[in-house]
Every structure is written in C-alpha cells, then in structure tokens.
Amino acid sequence: MQFQIECNTEKTRKVCLICHQSFQMLAARLIVCNDEGDGYGDICPQCTARGSDWIHHQLQEFSNQLLTIK
C-alpha cells in the first residue's frame, strides 16, 4: 500500500475510502494505491488529519475483514 498526493484542480465530490463520507476535494488529494500505483480511492481531509499510522491501521482492519469474508 502506498499513499499518493496530487494537486487537485477539480471541484468534484468524492467518497472517503475509510469513513465513506462524501467530501469536497481540496487543493491537494490523498489517494491510496497498491504497489503498482493503481488507485483504490481517496481519503477525506478529516481522516487525513489523523495521520498515516491511523490511516494504515484502518486500511489494515478493512483488509482483514475482507479476508475473513472469503
């Protein structure tokens, strides 16, 4: 898993990959990607403010839940 930060010029709304809330994109965009650079989704500013360790933990829990469903 990687984090990619991009400048954003679009005024679109996205849904946060972690909290599933709709949010307005700001000047910068945080995207969660796999090791090949394929994007999984965007992270909202509120979740971003909690830091990369917290985000990583939330995504790890989500991944573990997916594995138990299979």
Side-chain angles (χ1 to χ4, degrees):
M1 176 183 66
Q2 299 177 17
F3 298 124
Q4 182 175 335
I5 300 173
E6 294 182 356
C7 291
N8 180 47
T9 57
E10 299 177 21
K11 299 293 180 195
T12 59
R13 295 191 68 77
K14 297 284 186 174
V15 175
C16 180
L17 187 62
I18 295 175
C19 69
H20 309 290
Q21 297 295 316
S22 175
F23 67 97
Q24 179 71 42
M25 295 296 293
L26 300 176
R29 175 178 179 199
L30 177 63
I31 307 164
V32 176
C33 301
N34 64 15
D35 292 335
E36 288 79 39
D38 299 322
Y40 290 129
D42 293 271
I43 306 294
C44 73
Q46 290 79 14
C47 288
T48 299
R50 293 179 173 224
S52 62
D53 289 338
W54 182 84
I55 293 170
H56 179 77
H57 178 75
Q58 298 303 310
L59 294 173
Q60 190 65 43
E61 283 187 13
F62 177 71
S63 177
N64 290 341
Q65 290 174 359
L66 288 178
L67 290 174
T68 59
I69 292 173
K70 289 182 178 182

